[in-house]
Amino acid sequence: MVLAKLWTLQQHFEGLPKESNFELKQEELPDPKDGEVLLEAVFLSVDPYMRPYSRMHLKEGDTMMGAQVSRVVRSRNPSYLEGSHVIVHCGWRTHFLSDGSDLTPIPSNWPEELPLSLALGAIGMTGLAALYGLEEICEIKAEETLLVNAAAGAVGTMVGQIAKIKGCRAVGCAGSDDKVSYLKELGFDQAFNYKTISSLEDALREAAPQGYDCYFDNVGGDFTSTALAQMKPFGRIALSGSISTYNNTAPHRGPSIHSHMILKQLRMEGFLVERWKHKHHDSLQRLLAWVKEVRERANERERERERERERASGYGTIQRDFKELCLIIVIDPIITHLITILMNFASLFKESD
């Protein structure tokens, strides 16, 4: 028997998330029966989609939704060995009993040096959202120009990098100068801070005077109204999120789209990742290969910089500072609030141990 801790949604969100929306609870889980496994959380996901989805799919008092990377701590299922890791959608909780039917094993060729947290990000749902939005919805082609907003977020960074892999021109916007610098480090051709520009229309036109073939929309709202005017004829638009509206307490008027959609013969389509569930295995392998390639190139650049420092130093041997490559995750205000709440709960977790 194990004592599990879980966060429940005590009240649906109104405006920004608050600690009072959640309650930390405990429950006893029995030992696993034949065919079952006992899981222990390693990483929990905190994503913007939880704001609208929680109201659609959760009742007050339910365990807060979300995926996690879990370790198998006890197994009576021959398909899952103790010590192995899996993905499971069991919400914000420390332990979970499963019969194995709802588990996705971490790929067997996962490199030891890659953090398992990437299975919830670049090599997980956010990576899949970027890939399917570009390939299945936008049907993006080499040499086309792509616009993505919230470009420094978990999905946006992947959208831009995949577009560059496919030989496209990538334009992104973000909410700080540091994030803009990060986008340029990732290889975006153009990036701007939407909070400091005087005109979004002018900034979009300056970044791509000929217009945009594809638009990957994570934001919605007024941004989309302005962006549609910059689309090329027969442009394609993938609707992945609407983070500008998630904290609204009153209905938001939609973007003005009809004239642009009709006269430019645009195609706009929303999507959910699970539509292409049958492709997940192969898609995750593609994402894994790309991440490994990018990591190796980054390591080689670091080694070359180190050699240049040695040559410039005049010393035969100098002290070397090896820094582990990290993926930078830029978090929007919704997730910032949720993570702050989780950190506070984590301290309660320790106190109750």
Side-chain angles (χ1 to χ4, degrees), residues 279-324:
K279 293 188 174 184
H280 281 5
H281 179 271
D282 291 343
S283 298
L284 290 172
Q285 286 298 315
R286 294 171 65 198
L287 292 168
L288 177 58
W290 284 336
V291 169
K292 288 165 62 178
E293 180 182 347
V294 169
R295 185 184 181 95
E296 180 53 37
R297 287 205 304 267
N299 287 341
E300 180 55 37
R301 286 196 298 269
E302 179 60 27
R303 288 191 289 268
E304 179 57 32
R305 284 194 292 266
E306 186 63 31
R307 289 191 289 268
E308 290 175 359
R309 287 194 291 267
E310 287 186 6
R311 289 193 292 268
S313 69
Y315 293 99
T317 304
I318 63 173
Q319 181 178 5
R320 299 177 180 178
D321 295 323
F322 292 97
K323 296 183 179 180
E324 181 180 359

Side-chain angles (χ1 to χ4, degrees), residues 221-255:
D222 295 333
F223 188 104
T224 293
S225 296
T226 304
L228 290 181
Q230 309 274 350
M231 296 297 293
K232 294 180 182 180
F234 300 101
R236 291 89 67 201
I237 301 147
L239 302 183
S240 176
S242 183
I243 59 176
S244 67
T245 67
Y246 289 166
N247 289 321
N248 289 353
T249 55
H252 185 275
R253 293 179 65 91

Side-chain angles (χ1 to χ4, degrees), residues 225-278:
S225 296
T226 304
L228 290 181
Q230 309 274 350
M231 296 297 293
K232 294 180 182 180
F234 300 101
R236 291 89 67 201
I237 301 147
L239 302 183
S240 176
S242 183
I243 59 176
S244 67
T245 67
Y246 289 166
N247 289 321
N248 289 353
T249 55
H252 185 275
R253 293 179 65 91
S256 176
I257 66 173
H258 288 77
S259 60
H260 299 304
M261 294 289 293
I262 295 168
L263 296 176
K264 295 188 177 186
Q265 302 182 74
L266 305 177
R267 177 163 57 83
M268 176 188 287
E269 184 175 351
F271 70 97
L272 299 175
V273 165
E274 291 306 298
R275 189 196 307 186
W276 300 280
K277 188 174 182 179
H278 60 287

Side-chain angles (χ1 to χ4, degrees), residues 3 45 48 50 60 70 88 90 154 164 179 181 209 265 287 295:
L3 187 64
S45 68
M50 295 174 177
E60 292 182 347
S70 298
V88 59
C90 64
K164 294 305 297 179
K179 293 179 183 180
S181 296
Q265 302 182 74
L287 292 168
R295 185 184 181 95

